[in-house]
């Protein structure tokens, strides 16, 4: 299991957590795969040095809105070191964020490309690239403490979450320790919206489901830029981002 942080300790920051994530080696199958891909590379990227480690979240520590995906792509975030960077899914997502006024530029190509997000943090329930983009339930559960602590640190400001795909939706629910989940738990659907009351004096949290930005969805038209824009507009309004 990842070594837990005590988030009640105010000296612990998102930056601390992100650094710890990059050193995680808790899942042998995922460590083997991410490092093998980084050695063997894809021909188009053979001259590049791959990240080849667990990928932390990306975005400000006081984000009012979060986007939760699935896991890093083998030749995307596993290559670049930034969530949804360096592949077609990222091209779609960051173009939509820029159009919505939530990103400083429409592309995300590397960790030093100057991109900043406005009030939004992007993360995933599994931090390492899995073979065939399919983490096992055990790997998902082993990685969960990172997500729990990330959301605990975001709790003072976080007001909305866009969840990309059913996997992310299901994986996120057990990580929401500071909000009250209804019973039965809400089901995933594109546009599905549920507001969770806070268990303390923090803000309530609005979850919004969205089809994943995978090529399977965006190339077939199951998810369009217009659909993505509608989801981001709803999440931005719920987060009170000006």
């Amino acid at each position: 299991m990842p070594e837990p942080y005590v988030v009640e300790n105010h000296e612990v920051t998102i930056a601390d957590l992100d650094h710890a994530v990059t050193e995680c080696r808790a899942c042998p199958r995922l460590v083997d795969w991410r490092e093998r891909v980084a050695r063997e590379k894809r021909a188009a990227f053979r001259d590049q040095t791959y990240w080849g480690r667990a990928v932390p979240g990306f975005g400000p520590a006081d984000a009012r809105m979060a986007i939760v995906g699935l896991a890093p792509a083998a030749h995307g975030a596993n290559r670049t070191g930034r969530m949804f960077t360096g592949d077609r899914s990222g091209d779609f997502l960051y173009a939509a964020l820029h159009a919505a006024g939530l990103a400083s530029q429409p592309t995300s190509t590397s960790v030093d490309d100057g991109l900043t997000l406005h009030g939004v943090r992007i993360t995933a329930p599994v931090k390492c690239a899995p073979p065939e983009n399919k983490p096992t339930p055990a790997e998902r559960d082993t990685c969960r403490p990172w997500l729990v602590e990330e959301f605990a640190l975001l709790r003072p400001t976080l007001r909305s979450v866009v969840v990309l795909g059913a996997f992310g939706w299901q994986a996120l629910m057990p990580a929401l320790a500071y909000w009250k989940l209804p019973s039965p738990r809400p089901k995933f659907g594109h546009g599905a919206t549920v507001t969770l009351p806070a268990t303390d004096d923090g803000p309530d949290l609005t979850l919004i489901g969205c089809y994943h930005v995978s090529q399977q969805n965006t190339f077939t038209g199951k998810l369009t830029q217009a659909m993505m824009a509608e989801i981001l507009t709803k999440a931005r309004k719920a987060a009170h981002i000006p």
Side-chain angles (χ1 to χ4, degrees):
M1 294 288 289
E3 190 68 26
Y5 274 80
V6 179
V7 297
E8 287 76 10
N9 180 345
H10 297 294
E11 294 182 0
V12 175
T13 67
I14 286 283
D16 295 330
L17 185 70
D18 288 347
H19 176 73
V21 165
T22 68
E23 297 183 335
C24 185
R25 301 181 66 84
C27 299
R29 187 182 81 111
L30 298 187
V31 171
D32 176 73
W33 176 250
R34 77 192 192 195
E35 293 180 354
R36 185 192 316 173
V37 169
R39 290 193 305 271
E40 297 176 355
K41 305 181 182 181
R42 178 173 283 173
F45 308 126
R46 62 181 177 272
D47 295 330
Q48 298 184 19
T49 299
Y50 274 53
W51 173 257
R53 289 181 275 168
V55 182
F58 170 58
D62 60 350
R64 288 174 169 263
M65 174 180 161
I67 297 176
V68 175
L70 191 162
H75 301 281
N78 187 58
R79 172 173 60 89
T80 62
R82 180 195 284 163
M83 286 289 180
F84 284 105
T85 296
D87 58 25
R88 295 294 182 87
S89 295
D91 292 345
F92 184 96
L93 178 60
Y94 285 107
L97 287 169
H98 180 258
L102 297 169
S104 63
Q105 60 193 45
T107 58
S108 181
T109 57
S110 67
V111 294
D112 58 357
D113 62 7
L115 173 67
T116 57
L117 298 181
H118 307 315
V120 181
R121 183 170 172 86
I122 301 175
T123 190
V126 176
K127 306 298 188 186
C128 294
E132 300 180 347
N133 293 320
K134 294 180 180 179
T136 66
E139 290 163 348
R140 174 203 63 199
D141 294 347
T142 298
C143 207
R144 181 177 298 140
W146 296 126
L147 195 62
V148 171
E149 291 165 11
E150 190 169 12
F151 270 76
L153 289 166
L154 292 171
R155 177 185 53 167
T157 56
L158 192 65
R159 293 177 179 269
S160 73
V161 183
V162 174
V163 189
L164 303 175
F167 181 95
W169 183 272
Q170 294 165 2
L172 176 62
M173 295 295 166
L176 299 176
Y178 294 96
W179 294 271
K180 300 174 184 176
L181 294 175
S183 182
R185 289 182 179 178
K187 294 182 179 180
F188 172 80
H190 182 81
T193 303
V194 58
T195 297
L196 307 179
T199 59
D200 55 12
D201 58 357
D204 296 343
L205 189 66
T206 299
L207 305 184
I208 304 171
C210 179
Y211 292 139
H212 197 277
V213 292
S214 65
Q215 293 185 53
Q216 181 180 356
N217 290 334
T218 59
F219 281 19
T220 61
K222 184 176 182 179
L223 178 64
T224 65
Q225 281 288 352
M227 293 167 66
M228 190 80 229
E230 184 176 0
I231 294 291
L232 292 177
T233 297
K234 181 188 287 189
R236 181 173 186 160
K237 183 177 180 181
H240 302 281
I241 297 175

